[in-house]
Amino acid sequence: MRAGIAPFGGAGGSGLVMSRLPDGSWSAPSMLTPQNLSVGFLIGLDILDVVLIINSPAALEGFKSHKFTLGGEIGVAAGPLGAGASAEASVKEGKLVPPIYSYVKSRGLYAGVEIIGQVFLTRFDENERVYHHPRVTGRDILDGKVRMPPEVASLHKTLQEAEKGTAQLV
């Protein structure tokens, strides 16, 4: 959910991140919560569904514990369905890290030109609950070091069907 009245706004929610393992399979999901604070010309309230495509191991590293970003955004959402896309690139150790692409579907009314500080926090409590291990880390999960819970089977099947193109045939 995102809300704001100039000059301040914010957003929060919950989600998961998965990584491609060296053998080509997908890791189990690590739970996270994105939170942000924004400053600028903004007004509104909307509910967001966001998909992030993380394009490099360097970009994925930030999601193995906590990740903080600072950037700008221009956004407009109106009515029952708004859509958008953006890309985030960063510099790490003097090298350009390939971008993280985001695809957004929103419902509500929101408009803004803003500077955003965002943090993705690992949900240690949820990871411990799902994997029944008191000290499981996002790094262990995304590196494929944990057993896949049975509840994830349908998500993995959907990813495989999407990669093969068979998900569109149903």
Side-chain angles (χ1 to χ4, degrees):
M1 183 179 94
R2 172 175 63 175
I5 297 177
F8 299 109
S14 62
L16 57 90
V17 61
M18 298 172 66
S19 68
R20 178 78 72 172
L21 298 174
D23 68 0
S25 65
W26 287 97
S27 73
S30 176
M31 311 317 162
L32 55 81
T33 179
Q35 304 290 320
N36 80 36
L37 177 64
S38 53
V39 177
F41 302 102
L42 50 113
I43 189 163
L45 171 72
D46 65 347
I47 306 296
L48 305 170
D49 297 320
V50 180
V51 174
L52 299 177
I53 307 298
I54 304 167
N55 287 314
S56 72
L60 181 64
E61 275 302 308
F63 289 88
K64 290 183 177 180
S65 60
H66 299 309
K67 176 181 175 30
F68 176 77
T69 64
L70 182 65
E73 180 175 292
I74 298 173
V76 176
L81 184 63
S86 66
E88 169 199 319
S90 60
V91 176
K92 184 175 183 178
E93 297 173 3
K95 297 179 184 175
L96 183 64
V97 176
I100 297 173
Y101 296 104
S102 65
Y103 301 91
V104 180
K105 181 178 82 171
S106 65
R107 297 162 304 281
L109 180 62
Y110 188 89
V113 177
E114 55 202 290
I115 295 174
I116 300 172
Q118 182 160 333
V119 64
F120 290 88
L121 301 171
T122 300
R123 295 279 315 268
F124 297 108
D125 57 336
E126 283 298 308
N127 285 339
E128 289 176 1
R129 186 183 64 76
V130 169
Y131 297 104
H132 308 289
H133 190 284
R135 290 178 298 283
V136 67
T137 66
R139 178 171 305 282
D140 290 340
I141 296 166
L142 296 175
D143 287 343
K145 296 178 181 176
V146 299
R147 185 177 305 184
M148 192 73 60
E151 298 85 2
V152 180
S154 63
L155 175 59
H156 275 245
K157 182 179 178 202
T158 301
L159 282 172
Q160 291 168 352
E161 289 174 351
E163 289 175 329
K164 293 177 188 174
T166 57
Q168 309 304 321
L169 302 176
V170 180

